[in-house]
């Protein structure tokens, strides 16, 4: 870190968001930046999640950057190793490695109001930055429930995002906790080799067939020879998902047909009526993320698999006790229990202008202007921030929209000139989030009758974007200075001065509302 004591921009994280930010910075002509990565390689969640069967549930050609198309995806739905390889390729193609500081976990970021810059402490040294772009992502810190007696378990315990590849599960009694997106890939991958697999299901999921296939050599050759065909393929995949959005956001009743498809998918593999009843959700499909798998139900039907339709409540040595009182013996426990999404640990490490941590500011629920800027945290932006998640399409589309906003944010700082910062106005943040939450009321995520990881501790959906990706692209195409206070250095001995909306006569509340009107 010695050669970079101060930078214009510090990016935190090297997953899709962080690498995308780095590419965009270079394309904007900005080279005075670093990417702070806590691990020793790039990849983010696609580096950390290497469990058996790990793959994406978004088609490959849509789950990639528009500015870095890959004509050689081997399958329509790519596996973890191919997505991680793609991110390594992006890193090298765009010359990002000189900017990356590996093994540099951010311990604390604090805004220096006098110098108008961020003081950053990392595990490899300290630095300062004019602007911070936080791209740690919501799927970066595993969540393991506090289970009484777990410390008494004599076997191996690990989370799906921290898979222990040195521990052989062959012939073992394995308990998998959770039935989310990771578990439905893990279960069929390990079922053939374990002696017994006990699946603890707190809430069943709706599962549709995974229409995955190998992409032929002829298709890949065509994409290489005619890049426009890759763009057309991506555009078709995008358009189909855009047309689906209204069913999720305005007319959840239309999802009943999809429920019937999911029921038929289950019935083909699960012949036991009692087991089928335990696997059938009691909420509207789409309320939780719809899962894709063609081998999950067949694996559950195998004779060495037991489904416990209840959550794990206690561990007594090698005995696992469910909430319904049933017991199972295990040699290893795999937690597929998700991540800290609405309570991201990075928020505890970001200290704003008033000396309070972002976690404290967000204790009533995460809020950020256009999913990027939090009031009281000047020149700090987040990628995949509050209410930018998707329930049916590719997050890369949302990331690229936020990169547009980041680029214009930096251009506005240049236009303002000198030492300057932008701090989101509380009124603008409130207006934006009020409109988002108003639209959220009729979505399937809020009305579908489930409790999901989309909701925070107060039951508010601070995760999902209640609209199309095209709407979000329009909402983040530029920075409206009326939504920000322009902060400049104070005269000697005084506090920093804030000039709210001085550069624009627009009404910020009206502007914020206009972008999220149904």
């Amino acid at each position: 870190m010695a050669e970079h004591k101060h930078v214009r921009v510090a990016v935190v994280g090297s997953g899709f968001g962080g690498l995308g930010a780095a590419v965009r910075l270079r394309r904007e002509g900005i080279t005075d930046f670093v990417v702070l990565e806590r691990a020793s390689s790039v990849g983010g969640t696609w580096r950390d999640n290497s469990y058996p069967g790990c793959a994406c549930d978004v088609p490959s050609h849509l789950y990639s950057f528009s500015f870095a198309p890959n004509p050689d995806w081997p399958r329509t739905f790519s596996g973890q190793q191919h997505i991680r390889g793609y991110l390594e390729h992006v890193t090298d193609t765009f010359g990002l490695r000189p900017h990356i500081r590996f093994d540099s976990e951010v311990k604390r970021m604090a805004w220096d109001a006098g110098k108008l810059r961020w003081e950053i402490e990392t595990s490899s040294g300290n630095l300062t930055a004019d602007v911070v772009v936080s791209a740690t992502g919501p799927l970066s810190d595993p969540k393991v429930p506090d289970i009484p007696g777990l410390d008494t378990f004599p076997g191996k315990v690990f989370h799906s995002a921290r898979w222990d590849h040195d521990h052989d599960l062959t012939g073992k009694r394995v308990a998998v906790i959770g039935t989310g997106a990771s578990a439905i890939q893990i279960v069929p991958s390990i079922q053939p080799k374990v002696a017994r697999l006990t699946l603890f299901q707190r809430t069943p999921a709706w599962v549709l067939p995974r229409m995955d296939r190998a992409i032929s050599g002829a298709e890949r050759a065509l994409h290489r020879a005619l890049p426009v065909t890759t763009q057309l393929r991506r555009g078709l995949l995008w358009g189909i998902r855009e047309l689906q959005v209204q069913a999720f956001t305005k007319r959840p009743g239309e999802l009943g047909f999809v429920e019937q498809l999911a029921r038929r998918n289950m019935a083909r593999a699960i012949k036991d009526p009692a087991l089928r009843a335990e696997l059938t959700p009691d909420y509207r499909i789409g309320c939780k993320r719809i899962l894709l798998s063609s081998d999950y139900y067949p694996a559950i039907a195998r004779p060495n698999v037991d489904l416990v339709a209840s959550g794990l409540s206690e561990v007594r040595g090698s005995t696992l006790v469910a909430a319904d009182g049933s017991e199972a013996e295990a040699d290893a426990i795999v937690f597929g229990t998700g991540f800290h999404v609405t309570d991201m640990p990075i928020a505890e490490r970001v200290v704003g202008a008033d000396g309070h941590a972002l976690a404290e500011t967000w204790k009533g629920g995460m809020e950020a202007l256009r999913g990027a800027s939090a009031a009281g945290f000047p020149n700090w932006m987040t990628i995949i921030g509050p209410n930018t998640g998707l329930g049916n399409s590719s997050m890369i589309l949302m990331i690229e929209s936020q990169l547009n906003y980041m680029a214009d944010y930096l251009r506005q700082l240049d236009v303002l000139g000198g030492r300057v910062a932008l701090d989101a106005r509380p009124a603008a943040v409130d207006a934006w989030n009020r409109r988002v939450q108003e639209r959220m009321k009729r979505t399937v995520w809020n009305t579908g009758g489930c409790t999901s990881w989309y909701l925070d501790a107060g039951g508010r959906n601070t995760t999902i974007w209640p609209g199309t990706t095209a709407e979000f692209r329009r909402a983040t195409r530029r920075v409206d200075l009326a939504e920000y206070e322009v902060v400049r250095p104070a005269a000697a001995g005084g506090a920093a001065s804030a000039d709210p909306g001085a550069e624009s006569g627009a009404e910020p509340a009206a502007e914020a509302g206009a972008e999220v009107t149904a």
Side-chain angles (χ1 to χ4, degrees), residues 137-144 337-346:
L139 306 183
S140 57
D141 292 284
K143 177 183 289 187
V144 176
T337 46
F339 301 84
H340 289 276
V341 176
T342 60
D343 58 341
M344 293 187 290
I346 189 67

Side-chain angles (χ1 to χ4, degrees), residues 175-512:
V176 175
I177 316 302
T179 51
S182 299
I184 71 158
Q185 296 178 343
I186 293 170
V187 168
S189 298
I190 67 173
Q191 173 271 321
K193 68 178 183 178
V194 303
R196 188 131 218 106
L197 194 157
T198 304
L199 179 61
F200 285 80
Q201 170 192 270
R202 188 174 59 179
T203 308
W206 287 109
V207 183
L208 291 173
R210 182 182 180 85
M211 309 303 289
D212 187 28
R213 66 172 178 82
I215 297 177
S216 69
E219 287 175 274
R220 284 181 276 171
L222 176 65
H223 291 330
R224 286 193 298 271
L226 296 172
V228 68
T229 61
T230 306
Q231 297 171 9
L232 289 172
R233 186 171 190 160
R234 178 186 175 91
L236 179 62
L237 292 168
W238 168 77
I240 291 171
R241 280 156 181 77
E242 290 289 274
L243 293 174
Q244 298 169 348
V245 170
Q246 294 226 6
F248 288 85
T249 59
K250 295 181 180 179
R251 295 187 287 272
E254 294 180 355
L255 293 167
F257 171 70
V258 185
E259 265 183 33
Q260 292 306 313
L261 296 178
R263 290 179 189 274
R264 285 201 286 271
N265 179 47
M266 184 194 306
R268 279 193 291 267
I270 307 297
K271 303 305 180 183
D272 179 2
L275 180 57
R276 207 158 54 231
E278 291 179 326
L279 289 168
T280 302
D282 61 359
Y283 55 86
R284 172 64 74 191
I285 193 169
C287 185
K288 290 175 177 281
R289 189 172 181 96
I290 300 172
L291 306 182
L292 303 180
S293 177
S294 297
D295 51 13
Y296 175 62
Y297 288 140
I300 289 179
R302 301 299 297 171
N304 68 330
V305 177
D306 295 316
L307 177 71
V308 178
S310 181
L312 178 63
S313 66
E314 185 183 356
V315 177
R316 301 170 187 163
S318 60
T319 302
L320 278 57
V321 184
D324 63 4
S326 59
E327 299 181 357
E329 297 294 315
D331 303 309
I333 301 175
V334 178
F335 282 98
T337 46
F339 301 84
H340 289 276
V341 176
T342 60
D343 58 341
M344 293 187 290
I346 189 67
E348 300 173 359
R349 307 180 186 191
V350 183
V351 180
D354 61 0
H356 295 137
L358 182 60
E360 185 176 351
T361 300
W362 280 352
K363 63 184 177 183
M366 300 189 299
E367 292 185 347
L369 176 61
R370 303 183 188 270
S373 301
F377 296 81
N379 283 7
W380 183 89
M381 304 185 69
T382 182
I383 305 296
I384 314 184
N387 290 116
T388 61
L390 296 175
N392 76 313
S393 192
S394 173
M395 279 305 302
I396 313 306
L397 300 169
M398 302 296 278
I399 288 172
E400 290 197 29
S401 292
Q402 291 198 289
L403 297 182
N404 290 341
Y405 195 73
M406 176 198 75
D408 195 52
Y409 190 103
L410 293 168
R411 291 188 207 110
Q412 296 295 338
L413 291 177
D414 284 343
V415 169
L416 291 169
R419 290 172 56 200
V420 66
L422 293 176
D423 188 5
R425 297 178 59 192
V429 177
D430 290 344
W432 170 262
N433 283 281
R434 193 164 55 248
R435 305 302 175 117
V436 168
Q437 292 304 319
E438 184 63 29
R439 285 187 67 176
M440 198 71 71
K441 289 179 181 178
R442 55 181 169 173
T443 67
V444 69
W445 308 298
N446 280 36
T447 66
C450 73
T451 300
S452 72
W453 57 266
Y454 300 150
L455 309 181
D456 62 19
R460 196 168 66 131
N461 192 327
T462 58
T463 306
I464 297 293
W465 167 246
T468 65
T469 62
E471 285 179 287
F472 190 75
R473 178 65 60 97
R474 291 193 297 271
T476 53
R477 68 189 184 277
R478 63 181 179 84
V479 170
D480 180 2
L481 287 180
E483 296 181 334
Y484 288 87
E485 294 181 351
V486 179
V487 184
R488 295 189 181 277
S497 62
D499 189 2
E503 314 299 329
S504 171
E507 288 292 332
E511 171 70 11

